[in-house]
Amino acid sequence: MLTLFKARSVITMNPSMPRASAVLVRDGIILEVGEAENMQPWLQGQQYQIDEQFAEQIICPGFIDPHLHPSMAAVLLPMEFVTAMRWKLPWGEIEPVTDAKTFDQRMQELHASKPAHEPLFIWGYHELWHGEMNKARINAVSEQRPIVVWHRSFHELYMNDATMRMAGIDPAQIKPGMQIDIDNGHFFEVGLGFAINRLNPWILAPERYAEGLQRLKQVVHHGGHTSIGDLATGLFNFDTEAKALAEQLEGDDVPFRTRLVVHGTRLTQGGRKPQEGPELAAALMARNSHRLHFGKHIKLFCDGAFCSQLAQLQEPGYIDGHHGEWLAAPEELERHIRAYWHAGYQIHVHVTGDLGVELTLDILQRMQDEKPRFNHGFTLEHFGFSTPEQIRRIAALGAQVSANVYYLHELSDSYASAGIGYERASQMARLGSCFAAGINTTVHSDFTMAPAEPLNSMWVAVNRENHVGHVMGAAERLTQQQALQAITINAAHAIGMADITGSLRAGKKADFTVLAEDPLTCDPMALRDLDVVATVFEGKVFPVK
Amino acid sequence: MSDNDAMGANLQQPNPVPITVIGGYLGAGKTTLINRLLAQPTMPAGTAVLVNDFGDINIDAALIKSASPDGQVIGLSNGCICCSISDDLSKALDQLSNLPLQRVIMETSGVAEPARVWQHCHYPGFTPQALIVVVDAENFRSQSKDKYVGQLVNAQVDQADLLIVSKMDHNPAFQLRRLTAQLTTTDPSLLATVLGWTRRHPLTATLSTTKTASFAARTWYQQQALSLEELYALLDRQAEGVYRIKGWVEITAGIMQVDRVGERLTLKPMEDRPVPAQLGLVFICST
């Protein structure tokens, strides 16, 4: 059976024919994109149906988030969100809560809505908006129900007495110096590790984790994705994650495929040499199923977390003089990169600061000197800070960029005033320059670091407006065309799937994202609010309610 | 707080287990040092070794078994807690806390700032005892000027309570001109000193449970030039319990490098650069 999808307009992302009005599909594969009257040769003597449900809408290539973390999402999504920023979630839009009183009200409502004694995990607290948090404040909501209030950064949490009883945390055990303020129920950094270990039976309970992945599935669908990249499979525990992913993200009801990129240092953890890595990674491909694919991809890590100001910066560094951190010794990173480079892998390096970028490019230069490769797909992941000179090097070395552009929206204001100064803060995610240099450039959410909404990433990349409404680095804005490229065909290149998806042309999978309005001609400020009507995954329609 | 008070306060719970942190950049010789410690016949029973298993593990498992029946090797990683919710170091310490341990020796990752790891040792049931950093005589100079790791290797040295200089045979003239207690890996008292080293700190001093000899350092900072006689007098006054003195002192004749091991004192004028940022003496003493 053939299906002829008609639309108000079809945006193909195929530069040879940017627009069309119909797509003809058989067995999940596109037979032809173009005008219906040209498709008769396919239809003669065949059974076919004309699907006009999208006749008034816009068909785009299926959106792709090339870098998110299902495992982190599975932990976070079962929690209740009370956040200062808006989050569109399938089970409801989270309205911003921007003051202490409303935060307490939300805690009360959540408490009232839950079965008694079920622990309540709340995520999204931030002192800037929600005032000082402490145990007494949570106890005031309930002394019986265990309630945990997690900071938006994930780096600290607060709990009430009932949680301490539940988790077996004895205040008498807690000594000064532990980064635990026990009187206020506040656990941070090292203290957070302790608290998490005590809370793990609840946070990582298998049924809760499975529920989390089910929620992730909805989030990914509602964001309009038809492909995603899990850019560190094995982040917590490889076997547990691989099993849960196979159970929850495979099957006819799953409207997207996942590129699994294994966490390289975890893969060889336990004393194995980096040179053993490529073979271990290759063996994972035997696990591939229809929707879950390992490939010749590896994830490695360079410098520290962007949101914790641990990115490694070149001079003049951070205003307060602190330094970022390396996640691996430069020599170690190079040994790993060398092993995978020579084995022909596509290497994805987590890199956040411009000193990290410099190191990564120095290593890549040495690899190119040792063994020149073309079309190798070496990808700089996150790409917080960079310099214009580095853009030239990235292009010259044939690397590509996958940026978390949302940080510009959320953090450029605070980084300008309390981090690195206005100039560099406004030039985070130097994406316009990347496009100008001809670098394959995509954007990602790193979900749960940013909302898994490609249209939201597109909105930030096009407008570069931060959360207080200031345009940051206007010269680096993308056009709507470029930004749509970033979340479709360029993203497909980044996860090594451009041969099957990312644009609409004969021979590719019939992966569509259907929008109510045209993302190339709409008001740029409206981009993040465009309605995702449905997705089509390999020819099958999955409405977004 | 006296020892008795400490005992009283701990009636409900056992004493926290002291952790000796062994830091230093990649290749400095941390693992070699740990292997030597483990091979020692006098290695106390009930010692756990935590190694960073994201690198090549070269800890000799046979040594661990023979030297310490309760010993365990558990991997840990350097990483930001937000990115590893099951946080390896905390998990390792939680596992260890169920064992009848006397002490923990923790090898940090080569890119760890020891002071951050020190923070981590304030984990329920544990207490940090000493921060020991191994410095590679052969490569330190170039590493300390490296664009990528220069700041880090300098910070590692700055944060140490005790510096162990390795690979002196490759660079016999190597000197770290700073007022931190330092030994070389060929020092005969190396292993006992490492095991017994205790940061002078009110909490660790009273809560330490080690049964081996305890070692620590005192530092005297020079404020004004001395005569040679005054220097001798100063060195003699410090005799009790002190078995090693090292430093740089300005006397009338210029800056002298002072080195005393046991009774043997070497004084030699310092002619080359760099002049230490701070002049003074470090006294290593057993307590």
Side-chain angles (χ1 to χ4, degrees):
Chain A
M1 172 74 101
L2 282 65
T3 306
L4 180 61
F5 290 98
K6 291 192 167 175
R8 170 148 60 100
S9 183
V10 176
I11 299 173
T12 68
M13 287 292 136
N14 169 3
S16 312
M17 186 179 64
R19 291 274 181 171
S21 66
V23 186
L24 181 62
V25 176
R26 181 177 68 200
D27 300 332
I29 303 289
I30 297 172
L31 295 179
E32 184 155 339
V33 180
E35 308 311 316
E37 56 268 31
N38 294 336
M39 297 177 188
Q40 287 311 313
W42 290 104
L43 301 176
Q44 277 161 18
Q46 300 288 327
Q47 275 204 321
Y48 69 94
Q49 60 180 7
I50 295 178
D51 189 330
E52 294 191 289
Q53 61 178 314
F54 307 131
E56 294 309 314
Q57 288 146 352
I58 310 293
I59 290 182
C60 303
F63 294 165
I64 300 170
D65 188 328
H67 185 147
L68 44 71
H69 296 290
S71 317
M72 279 170 73
V75 171
L76 179 66
L77 287 173
M79 297 185 193
E80 300 294 340
F81 283 38
V82 182
T83 56
M85 303 277 157
R86 124 199 143 131
W87 285 73
K88 272 203 294 194
L89 294 169
W91 42 95
E93 181 154 337
I94 306 299
E95 288 302 328
V97 170
T98 50
D99 64 87
K101 197 167 147 244
T102 323
F103 194 94
D104 288 347
Q105 247 168 27
R106 279 297 294 147
M107 286 204 287
Q108 288 288 359
E109 288 163 14
L110 289 165
H111 169 57
S113 72
K114 295 276 167 192
H117 299 302
E118 185 181 297
L120 175 58
F121 290 89
I122 293 169
W123 174 79
Y125 159 76
H126 197 298
E127 64 282 357
L128 211 58
W129 287 277
H130 306 137
E132 195 177 304
M133 185 52 63
N134 53 52
K135 188 175 78 175
R137 198 168 150 193
I138 312 175
N139 277 341
V141 178
S142 173
E143 298 198 349
Q144 280 76 45
R145 182 197 299 279
I147 301 178
V148 177
V149 174
W150 222 300
H151 195 272
R152 190 263 177 265
S153 70
F154 242 108
H155 277 249
E156 48 190 306
L157 60 76
Y158 296 82
M159 60 173 71
N160 62 354
D161 285 316
T163 310
M164 291 192 204
R165 289 194 297 274
M166 172 181 89
I169 295 172
D170 173 9
Q173 258 194 314
I174 309 301
K175 299 221 153 45
M178 282 176 192
Q179 297 184 310
I180 297 170
D181 172 2
I182 197 69
D183 295 334
N184 283 320
H186 184 201
F187 297 73
F188 50 106
E189 304 300 341
V190 178
L192 178 70
F194 172 74
I196 287 175
N197 277 342
R198 292 294 175 284
L199 293 171
N200 264 348
W202 289 271
I203 301 169
L204 291 177
E207 65 280 3
R208 198 179 158 89
Y209 193 79
E211 182 202 335
L213 280 179
Q214 282 302 317
R215 288 192 164 198
L216 169 79
K217 192 168 92 180
Q218 290 184 54
V219 167
V220 168
H221 178 222
H222 280 243
H225 309 80
T226 56
S227 299
I228 58 171
D230 174 0
L231 256 272
T233 314
L235 192 61
F236 303 145
N237 178 298
F238 182 84
D239 290 322
T240 316
E241 284 173 50
K243 184 168 176 286
L245 290 170
E247 284 167 4
Q248 308 297 333
L249 299 188
E250 182 54 274
D252 291 344
D253 64 328
V254 181
F256 55 90
R257 70 181 70 77
T258 306
R259 160 68 73 209
L260 300 163
V261 179
V262 69
H263 189 302
T265 32
R266 290 253 180 228
L267 185 67
T268 47
Q269 190 177 3
R272 282 187 286 261
K273 302 215 174 303
Q275 300 91 288
E276 299 171 51
E279 204 172 313
L280 291 167
L284 298 175
M285 286 187 255
R287 298 167 178 253
N288 286 356
S289 61
H290 188 82
R291 289 172 179 74
L292 298 168
H293 304 258
F294 288 97
K296 283 187 86 171
H297 290 253
I298 198 76
K299 174 75 178 296
L300 297 170
F301 294 81
C302 183
D303 57 335
F306 191 86
C307 57
S308 315
Q309 297 202 355
L310 290 173
Q312 287 279 30
L313 295 188
Q314 300 192 114
E315 290 297 328
Y318 293 95
I319 293 171
D320 66 3
H322 84 273
H323 292 272
E325 70 178 13
W326 298 114
L327 297 181
E331 297 93 319
E332 282 287 299
L333 177 63
E334 181 166 340
R335 285 175 67 202
H336 279 91
I337 288 178
R338 178 172 288 110
Y340 291 102
W341 178 264
H342 284 268
Y345 273 69
Q346 181 177 336
I347 300 163
H348 301 256
V349 179
H350 160 117
V351 56
T352 54
D354 57 3
L355 189 62
V357 171
E358 195 71 5
L359 170 64
T360 306
L361 294 177
D362 279 357
I363 296 174
L364 179 56
Q365 178 74 63
R366 284 194 286 277
M367 295 306 109
Q368 288 288 28
D369 293 344
E370 283 173 23
K371 180 189 175 181
R373 282 177 62 189
F374 297 96
N375 201 26
H376 45 75
F378 191 104
T379 310
L380 302 168
E381 301 282 345
H382 304 320
F383 196 65
F385 304 116
S386 60
T387 65
E389 294 71 26
Q390 289 172 341
I391 302 294
R392 284 181 66 109
R393 292 186 73 196
I394 294 166
L397 291 165
Q400 48 188 359
V401 165
S402 179
N404 184 344
V405 71
Y406 187 74
Y407 285 144
L408 178 92
H409 174 65
E410 181 168 346
L411 296 173
S412 61
D413 177 57
S414 62
Y415 276 44
S417 57
I420 59 171
Y422 186 90
E423 179 191 338
R424 288 177 296 159
S426 67
Q427 293 169 29
M428 288 178 189
R430 199 181 294 282
L431 299 185
S433 295
C434 288
F435 270 87
I439 296 165
N440 186 64
T441 305
T442 179
V443 292
H444 63 247
S445 69
D446 200 18
F447 187 66
T448 52
M449 293 295 137
E453 298 166 35
L455 287 171
N456 188 58
S457 305
M458 195 176 161
W459 177 86
V460 180
V462 167
N463 297 296
R464 289 184 73 93
E465 189 175 294
N466 67 13
H467 77 89
V468 291
H470 298 153
V471 173
M472 300 297 273
E476 292 295 332
R477 284 185 297 207
L478 298 187
T479 64
Q480 279 158 275
Q481 171 73 24
Q482 289 170 327
L484 187 59
Q485 238 174 289
I487 62 169
T488 56
I489 185 65
N490 292 7
H493 279 294
I495 57 171
M497 288 187 165
D499 53 339
I500 59 167
T501 192
S503 66
L504 303 179
R505 62 150 171 88
K508 283 202 181 187
K509 304 275 189 192
D511 298 340
F512 316 152
T513 302
V514 185
L515 302 179
E517 296 301 329
D518 193 318
L520 297 183
T521 58
C522 71
D523 171 6
M525 286 304 286
L527 275 168
R528 65 174 176 178
D529 296 311
L530 296 187
D531 272 338
V532 177
V533 177
T535 63
V536 176
F537 178 68
E538 298 184 354
K540 186 173 168 189
V541 177
F542 291 86
V544 174
K545 286 176 194 78
Chain B
M1 182 159 63
S2 73
D3 285 349
N4 283 345
D5 290 338
M7 295 293 285
N10 285 311
L11 274 181
Q12 288 97 358
Q13 329 169 17
N15 280 334
V17 178
I19 303 179
T20 298
V21 177
I22 312 257
Y25 192 64
L26 186 76
K30 301 185 289 294
T31 309
T32 309
L33 176 64
I34 288 173
N35 276 332
R36 284 181 64 191
L37 290 171
L38 292 171
Q40 262 216 126
T42 55
M43 181 78 179
T47 300
V49 180
L50 285 170
V51 300
N52 176 351
D53 72 350
F54 276 131
D56 306 334
I57 298 183
N58 298 313
I59 295 281
D60 187 334
L63 280 178
I64 295 161
K65 278 182 207 126
S66 63
S68 91
D70 300 321
Q72 298 230 341
V73 177
I74 294 177
L76 63 98
S77 69
N78 179 48
C80 128
I81 291 165
C82 81
C83 304
S84 66
I85 197 135
S86 49
D87 174 39
D88 291 343
L89 180 50
S90 304
K91 211 158 61 184
L93 291 175
D94 263 357
Q95 261 175 285
L96 290 182
S97 64
N98 300 319
L99 302 170
L101 290 181
Q102 297 302 314
R103 64 155 66 238
V104 174
I105 296 171
M106 182 194 290
E107 178 199 7
T108 71
S109 122
V111 286
E113 284 208 22
R116 285 188 190 159
V117 179
W118 179 271
Q119 266 307 330
H120 219 127
C121 295
H122 290 288
Y123 197 82
F126 296 88
T127 185
Q129 174 171 309
L131 214 163
I132 297 172
V133 170
V134 187
V135 177
D136 175 348
E138 190 182 5
N139 296 308
F140 179 78
R141 287 278 171 254
S142 63
Q143 285 168 348
S144 69
K145 294 188 195 104
D146 184 83
K147 174 176 169 186
Y148 298 118
V149 299
Q151 178 273 328
L152 171 69
V153 297
N154 284 306
Q156 288 175 336
V157 168
D158 289 344
Q159 292 164 3
D161 304 326
L162 172 66
L163 292 165
I164 309 284
V165 182
S166 68
K167 304 186 192 172
M168 281 295 283
D169 47 335
H170 293 278
N171 184 9
F174 179 75
Q175 275 196 340
L176 265 180
R177 287 180 178 162
R178 53 175 76 219
L179 290 179
T180 305
Q182 44 187 288
L183 296 175
T184 68
T185 45
T186 52
D187 192 298
S189 59
L190 172 74
L191 302 178
T193 310
V194 167
L195 287 175
W197 199 264
T198 306
R199 178 185 284 194
R200 288 192 171 266
H201 182 279
L203 271 179
T204 52
T206 49
L207 297 178
S208 170
T209 59
T210 45
K211 294 182 183 66
T212 45
S214 177
F215 297 91
R218 279 202 310 272
T219 310
W220 169 79
Y221 298 101
Q222 184 177 24
Q223 308 295 344
Q224 57 196 43
L226 304 176
S227 68
L228 187 60
E229 292 70 29
E230 285 168 320
L231 173 61
Y232 282 132
L234 175 73
L235 293 170
D236 285 342
R237 270 208 309 279
Q238 303 288 339
E240 200 173 338
V242 171
Y243 74 99
R244 225 192 135 120
I245 305 173
K246 183 163 177 138
W248 296 267
V249 175
E250 187 175 3
I251 60 169
T252 335
I255 295 176
M256 305 295 283
Q257 182 174 322
V258 182
D259 218 330
R260 200 182 88 180
V261 182
E263 293 303 307
R264 190 161 51 85
L265 173 68
T266 321
L267 277 187
K268 77 181 175 202
M270 205 187 85
E271 280 153 1
D272 58 338
R273 305 204 152 256
V275 175
Q278 168 75 57
L279 298 174
L281 293 168
V282 183
F283 302 84
I284 296 182
C285 29
S286 68
T287 54

